[in-house]
Amino acid sequence: MTRSIIRRSRQVRVLATLGPASNTPDMIAKLFLAGADAFRVNMSHGDQASKVEVIQAIRALEKRYGRPTTILADLQGPKLRVGRFAAGRVELAHGATFVLDRDPTPGDASRVELPHREIFAAVEPGARLLLDDGKLVLRVIDHEPDRIITNVEVGGTLSNNKGLNVPDVVLPMAALTDKDRSDLAFAIDQHVDWIALSFVQRPEDLAEARKLIGGKAALMAKIEKPAAIERLEEIVELCDGVMVARGDLGVELPPQAVPPLQKRIVETARRLGRPVVVATQMLESMIKSPSPTRAEVSDVATAVYDGADAIMLSAESAAGDWPVESVAMMDAIGTSVERDPMHGDRVRFTETRPDPTTADALAEAAKNIATTVSAKAIICFTTSGSTARRVARERPSIPLLVLTPQMETARRLGMLWGAHAVHTRDVDSFEEMVAKSKRMALRHGLAAAGDRVIIMAGVPFRTPGATNVLHVVSIIGDELHSHK
């Protein structure tokens, strides 16, 4: 029996988070068929053992649908939380004095434990402390080695173990906790494709994760701290991909500051040739409703127009009532936007100047030639995926078919704009390269008899990073029949 091959008609990727509402093999398959190109496994929830079957279910889709699957393991990162209260919760009044200290005794309306030594050393008078996703705001008046004295600027109810954000200070904290190191080792053992590092503040935060990954997965930096914006370009240069994590970013910054920063992060990542994901609350109302608000649709569409590589669902697909419908809506929005005649102009509004390399020059040329000769697809042969990333950075108006002998590369490219990756045997000669390109274009429905396709590769073959060939060929139409 011939397996069916799934190929998306849109260029932007859809990343779906798995959770209680969607972590069974049946639901994972439904999300895939609805449009999910990649799956996020959130290491913040559940134990490692429960994720083994989830990962296996994702991989099972490969044989069933003839397409490499993509898995991103999202590390929790250093979560800052206050301690517990004697009564479980307290009311903090506006203008009151409230103390955070190192005393583990259950707190009251005047004080509570803060079990994070690093904050006491770094905080300064005037700094804000945000509690419970920014619902309560404290302003530091004074601090001692074991006490931080604050004024309550925005009061409210504060209960046990609520989260704490420190937006005005770069904290001297390692980006990886002991839990993260354990989860990272587990994820590598399970052969996931991407590792997302939470709460990146500076380029140095990426070093330990990169070392522990050891080249066995791609590294994605989550931009969710204001401090990261100050060194954004350095961070993007040192990672393999970027996520605009608007949740905590929106807590630590005024809401109106997030949209321009989102555009800046997307533009920086695109300019430097790194896949970029826009995430958090994209279709938030679909957690409970079968349809989104018009504002949410517009929000997703904006990310697509800006040229983001992927748009992500969080609770909508992980814990909501309508996970399949949420993925289908993302798919529909992306498809609709890309059919807009103005989409191409808008998505290429970001200027992506090629680096002074042969590979970059050929990638830019491939996009221009495709328009001139009305080619139907760009086909690139790659081992590491770098050629595909260079072409995708140009945002060509036609599909990108990526042929690679490395399954790991094919899987990682599931996060890349427009890439349809195929795991296939490598070629040994120019003639074989041309013949295989034609067959693959026909087999995957990218071209028909009389169409032109553009081929990119490196000669000598099997040499990573040697892209130096651009070739335009015409499809006859009988290439599949003549191949045995």
Side-chain angles (χ1 to χ4, degrees), residues 123-379:
V123 78
E124 295 291 343
R128 292 170 299 152
L129 303 180
L130 311 179
L131 299 165
D132 192 10
D133 289 336
K135 296 182 179 70
L136 292 82
V137 180
L138 310 179
R139 182 77 63 172
V140 176
I141 301 172
D142 198 3
H143 68 103
E144 302 168 6
D146 292 320
R147 296 175 78 237
I148 299 174
I149 303 162
T150 74
N151 175 260
V152 179
E153 289 193 349
V154 178
T157 302
L158 182 62
S159 55
N160 294 337
N161 306 127
K162 284 299 182 182
L164 173 76
N165 292 80
V166 190
D168 304 327
V169 177
V170 177
L171 297 176
M173 299 180 69
L176 291 172
T177 65
D178 289 341
K179 170 179 166 52
D180 292 331
R181 294 185 186 92
S182 174
D183 287 340
L184 191 155
F186 164 79
I188 295 299
D189 286 343
Q190 294 296 313
H191 306 290
V192 307
D193 311 298
W194 287 82
I195 300 290
L197 186 62
S198 297
F199 301 111
V200 173
Q201 299 184 91
R202 50 194 170 251
E204 294 80 6
D205 289 340
L206 301 168
E208 184 182 3
R210 178 71 79 187
K211 182 178 179 180
L212 292 174
I213 291 170
K216 295 178 181 178
L219 176 61
M220 180 171 289
K222 294 173 66 178
I223 308 299
E224 49 196 332
K225 300 283 289 181
I229 303 299
E230 298 175 13
R231 302 183 68 183
L232 178 63
E233 192 148 328
E234 295 174 80
I235 291 171
V236 175
E237 286 180 338
L238 291 176
C239 65
D240 302 305
V242 180
M243 181 183 294
V244 188
R246 304 182 302 179
D248 278 270
L249 197 60
V251 169
E252 300 203 0
L253 291 167
Q256 66 272 18
V258 175
L261 283 181
Q262 172 179 318
K263 289 184 176 292
R264 178 181 167 189
I265 297 166
V266 170
E267 185 273 335
T268 301
R270 286 194 52 198
R271 182 166 43 81
L272 295 176
R274 304 297 192 274
V276 56
V277 181
V278 176
T280 319
Q281 296 181 328
M282 300 208 82
L283 297 177
E284 185 83 353
S285 66
M286 288 194 75
I287 295 173
K288 294 298 181 183
S289 170
S291 59
T293 67
R294 302 301 180 267
E296 289 167 342
V297 172
S298 181
D299 177 41
V300 175
T302 295
V304 180
Y305 277 118
D306 287 344
D309 289 80
I311 44 181
M312 191 181 100
L313 293 165
S314 300
E316 302 97 328
S317 60
D321 295 338
W322 307 92
V324 176
E325 290 79 3
S326 296
V327 171
M329 180 55 64
M330 282 290 217
D331 177 74
I333 297 169
T335 301
S336 176
V337 169
E338 291 178 5
R339 286 175 179 165
D340 178 0
M342 297 302 296
H343 170 257
D345 292 335
R346 294 186 179 184
V347 84
R348 285 187 287 274
F349 184 77
T350 296
E351 187 175 10
T352 53
R353 294 182 178 178
D355 295 331
T357 65
T358 300
D360 266 36
L362 291 178
E364 184 181 39
K367 179 194 72 174
N368 296 332
I369 292 171
T371 302
T372 302
V373 305
S374 300
K376 295 298 183 183
I378 297 173
I379 303 171

Side-chain angles (χ1 to χ4, degrees), residues 442-463:
L442 287 168
R443 186 170 294 151
H444 291 266
L446 293 169
D451 290 337
R452 290 173 175 170
V453 297
I454 297 171
I455 306 171
M456 289 183 63
V459 176
F461 295 102
R462 304 178 188 272
T463 305

Side-chain angles (χ1 to χ4, degrees), residues 82-93 96-101 103-114 131 136 138 147-148 150 152 156-161:
V82 299
R84 301 180 65 84
F85 294 94
R89 64 182 60 226
V90 296
E91 288 292 327
L92 299 187
T97 298
F98 189 70
V99 175
L100 303 159
D101 58 36
D103 183 356
T105 304
D108 54 29
S110 66
R111 60 154 296 276
V112 73
E113 178 194 12
L114 180 60
L131 299 165
L136 292 82
L138 310 179
R147 296 175 78 237
I148 299 174
T150 74
V152 179
T157 302
L158 182 62
S159 55
N160 294 337
N161 306 127

